[in-house]
Structures are given as C-alpha cells and as structure tokens.
Amino acid sequence: MSPHRIHFNSPRAAGRELANMARALESGHISGDGEFTRKCRDLLKQELGATDVLLTTSCTHALEMTALLLELKPGDEVIVPSFSFVSTANAFALHGARPVFADVRPDTLNLDERRLEELITPRARAVVVVHYAGVGCEMDAILAAARARGVAVIEDNAHGLFGKYRGRWLGTFGAAATQSFHETKNFTCGEGGALLVNEPRWRARAEILREKGTDRGRFFRGEVDKYSWVDIGSSYLPSDLLAAFLLAQLEQRAAIQAKRKALWHGYRDGLADWAAARGAQLPVIPAHCESAYALFHLLLPSAEERDALMAHLKARGISSVFHYLPLHLSKMGRTFGGQPGQCPVTESVCDRLLRLPFHNGLAEANQAEVIEAMRAFRPG
Ligand SMILES: *Cc1c(COP(=O)(O)O)cnc(C)c1O
C-alpha cells in the first residue's frame, strides 16, 4: 500500500461507466468504432466544432498520426517545447523528423512565442504547442509566425480540453490537435486519446491512417462496396469498451470542470499570501485565457526548497510530484543537438516545479489539509 493518504492522482468513475460497458458488451460490438465511439466523437465534435474527431488509443498515437499527415521526410524539422512530455517530440522523431527544442515563457510555461521565429528554418515543417496545465499558448502570435513561414501548427492539447483562448476552444487553432484520456487527465478511460482534425484537407486521410491504411470507414458508410489497402497506416482505434467508459466521463464534463476549477481556486486562494512570503510563484492564467484546470503547480525559489517541501508533505502522508525534465537535455534530446543553456527557462523551472494533489475525487477536507501542511513548511 502507498504510504500516502492524500494521493496526487486517483482516477474516479463519474457515474455510468460500468453500465455503459455492460451495454457495449450486450450489443455484441466491443471492437473499435461502435456506438460509444460514435457518441464520444459526436459529443466532442459538436461541443468543439472541429472538422472531425477520431478517438485513438492514446495522445501519443494521435501525435504520431499528425506526423504521418505532415508527410515528414528525413531532415524535416518540427519545433517542440523542451518543457513537455516525451511524446510531444518522440512522435515526430519516430517518423524521421528532427525535433528543434523551443524554450517556454516564465509565466505560463508555454512555448515562448517571442522566440519562435528565430527557430523556424527552411527545413521546419511544423510547430507543436502544449497548453501547459490547460492554459492557452499565445496562439495569435504563434499562428501568425507559422503562417508567414508556411509551417503547420499542431496542438498537443493533452491538458487543454475545454479550455479557451480569446473565447475559442483550445484544440481548434492548429491544423490538428491531440487529446489524452490517460488516467492522469481530466477525463479518462485508463488509456485513450483523440485526434481533432481542423484542416479539412487532412480529414479523409486521417480516417485511413487510423484504420490500418484501409478505406474501411468509407465502406461502413456505404460509399464504397468493399474496402482495401489504399495508404500506409496503423491501428489507432480504441475498443468500444473504452469509449463506453469515456462517454460517461465526457457527459459529466460540466460537473468535472466545475470541481477542478473550485480546487484550483481553493489552492490559489489558500496559498497566495504564503507564496508571496516564500517567494514561490503560483500559476498564471492571463485574462484572455480560460483554463482547463488540468493541474495545480507552483515554482519554488530553489530545487533544494522544492525537494524539502516534497519531503515535508510526504512525511504528512501527502503525495506531491514534480513534472517534465528538459527534453533537450535528455539522452535522446542530446542526439538531436540539445545542449545545456539552450532553453534556460525550461532548465530553471524543471528543478523547482511541484504539483499538488489534484483530481476529480479530491475531497475539500483533504485539500484543506494539503494547504495547511504547505503553510506549516519552514525550509532550512
Ligand atoms: C499525457 C500527455 C501526453 C501523452 O498522452 P498519452 O495519452 O498517455 O499518450 C502527451 N503530451 C502531453 C502534454 C501530456 O500531458
């Protein structure tokens, strides 16, 4: 058993998950693209207004699909934030591209749009943005820079589902966006994801790539009388059992997002004076952004203080965790030319960042306990 009483993350059923899964089994269709996959897709498509939504086995696989849609050739470059999960870079490296690491803004920890243009070489094909913690990147500037140089924008929207930038949903700015339904995200089916296709020219091919390079989707719609191998592809369809689980979560999106918003504000209000006194930086949400409330993080003044605070919380049964390590300094990142000093903000924040318990089932009393334990921390 974990020594922690208050978990950093704890996946919860929102209500109808098991009933939905039983219905999928009774219907006799538990492979991909059944009734529940269609319902998840329709819900996301209607809510977000994306051209198309394809459920996938993970966000990683959805990112790999965008690499295939870009038709990357060896030597092509894809600009990615160094401060992100491995898949943001690996999905493109896997398909032959060279990741070019961008630094992030010190306030939102999102890709620094002010330094983007200098990274766009004639070999650049795409820029991948991550809306860290669910707060939108500066999409106006990023889209303008990308358009001016003819590179595509891809949103790794693993944190951003139902967040907004200037009143518009995150995930609807790039040519495509990717979602994650991993158990650590706002909405989950254990492992799962989605590809939001916004670029109409990519729609038909995305469907084929997901179905092992076949036109099976068209066959099921009665548009062709048999299906066959028409392109490259792989198997990126989740089981309808997982979609059945996921639908129950997505249908509760208003309640889930309200709960997470309340938790976020609970931490922010409960820690504001403490953070000011300690020199800790609380998360920043610019006025033109509505967060998706994916997580609650703070930056301590030093790595030593961060580690001491983690130990202090652990001694009280509270699990807190750090987050990304700089991709440009990883073993793989260095093979693509990553060097110390290349992304100074990323290098500085990774050692000082702490995430507090944050999940759909976190009780208010437990959050109050975390805040109290934080406020009792005396470093040194
Ligand atoms: C979680 C996450 C991923 C990976 O999601 P999977 O569904 O586990 O593949 C990718 N990018 C970011 C920013 C994430 O947070």
Side-chain angles (χ1 to χ4, degrees):
M1 228 184 79
S2 154
H4 297 121
R5 284 178 302 107
I6 303 183
H7 298 282
F8 167 70
N9 183 54
S10 176
R12 293 299 157 109
R16 294 200 45 81
E17 283 86 347
L18 297 181
N20 282 358
M21 289 174 89
R23 256 180 56 204
L25 186 57
E26 283 156 19
S27 80
H29 184 127
I30 58 171
S31 59
D33 279 339
E35 174 198 344
F36 288 101
T37 303
R38 276 194 299 278
K39 284 186 167 157
C40 288
R41 170 199 182 154
D42 291 349
L43 183 152
L44 289 170
K45 218 174 128 172
Q46 275 161 24
E47 190 78 11
L48 303 174
T51 300
D52 205 356
V53 175
L54 301 172
L55 284 201
T56 61
T57 32
S58 65
C59 180
T60 301
H61 278 163
L63 285 165
E64 288 176 23
M65 288 177 69
T66 69
L68 293 170
L69 287 164
L70 285 162
E71 299 183 79
L72 296 171
K73 288 177 290 300
D76 284 352
E77 294 175 353
V78 175
I79 297 160
V80 301
S82 177
F83 182 69
S84 186
F85 187 63
V86 172
S87 296
T88 311
N90 182 69
F92 302 95
L94 179 64
H95 291 282
R98 191 173 88 84
V100 171
F101 300 105
D103 207 358
V104 292
R105 296 175 56 103
D107 52 0
T108 56
L109 309 186
N110 283 335
L111 186 138
D112 193 340
E113 73 286 352
R114 298 162 299 190
R115 309 272 318 271
L116 177 57
E117 273 197 63
E118 65 198 61
L119 296 175
I120 305 178
T121 74
R123 313 214 69 163
R125 297 288 317 286
V127 50
V128 186
V129 299
V130 176
H131 306 298
Y132 186 69
V135 174
C137 295
E138 286 307 323
M139 293 313 296
D140 287 346
I142 290 167
L143 289 169
R147 264 190 210 121
R149 305 292 289 275
V151 304
V153 172
I154 305 291
E155 296 173 81
D156 176 343
N157 198 34
H159 302 182
L161 185 57
F162 303 129
K164 285 182 175 175
Y165 170 81
R166 297 200 191 283
R168 185 168 147 192
W169 296 116
L170 300 178
T172 63
F173 291 90
T178 62
Q179 305 298 151
S180 175
F181 302 119
H182 183 263
E183 75 171 22
T184 51
K185 315 298 181 185
N186 297 25
F187 306 91
T188 186
C189 57
E191 299 274 0
L195 179 71
L196 312 186
V197 182
N198 299 314
E199 168 55 62
R201 283 183 301 130
W202 280 0
R203 183 183 189 164
R205 187 153 187 258
E207 185 179 86
I208 289 166
L209 293 173
R210 177 170 167 273
E211 269 283 16
K212 301 99 179 162
T214 73
D215 53 357
R216 197 159 171 260
R218 297 190 63 202
F219 171 70
F220 281 128
R221 289 195 299 274
E223 294 165 19
V224 289
D225 58 9
K226 56 185 182 327
Y227 74 87
S228 65
W229 187 22
V230 297
D231 199 339
I232 57 167
S234 191
S235 184
Y236 297 123
L237 292 77
S239 160
D240 216 49
L241 286 170
L242 291 179
F245 193 102
L246 180 64
L247 182 68
Q249 301 248 316
L250 292 175
E251 283 178 339
Q252 290 299 313
R253 62 195 176 282
I256 287 173
Q257 291 304 86
K259 162 83 188 183
R260 298 182 79 99
K261 183 176 183 178
L263 281 177
W264 191 94
H265 283 279
Y267 277 132
R268 214 242 347 234
D269 297 348
L271 294 172
D273 59 338
W274 172 88
R278 285 248 64 80
Q281 183 184 320
L282 294 182
V284 173
I285 304 179
H288 53 281
C289 292
E290 287 171 46
S291 181
Y293 304 103
L295 53 96
F296 192 92
H297 67 286
L298 57 158
L299 294 172
L300 279 298
S302 69
E304 294 70 33
E305 215 170 298
R306 192 270 312 263
D307 294 346
L309 177 54
M310 268 179 95
H312 166 90
L313 293 173
K314 188 176 174 197
R316 282 156 186 76
I318 298 166
S319 160
S320 64
V321 296
F322 51 89
H323 213 179
Y324 308 129
L325 302 176
L327 289 176
H328 70 287
L329 297 181
S330 64
K331 183 178 166 199
M332 273 304 286
R334 285 175 190 262
T335 71
F336 294 110
Q339 279 176 25
Q342 186 182 341
C343 300
V345 178
T346 300
E347 288 170 35
S348 158
V349 299
C350 286
D351 286 346
R352 299 187 290 117
L353 192 145
L354 188 70
R355 290 184 291 158
L356 298 179
F358 198 82
H359 58 83
N360 299 346
L362 185 63
E364 262 177 54
N366 284 344
Q367 182 183 39
E369 208 184 307
V370 176
I371 292 169
E372 211 175 295
M374 295 281 291
R375 299 180 65 91
F377 173 62
R378 303 275 176 275

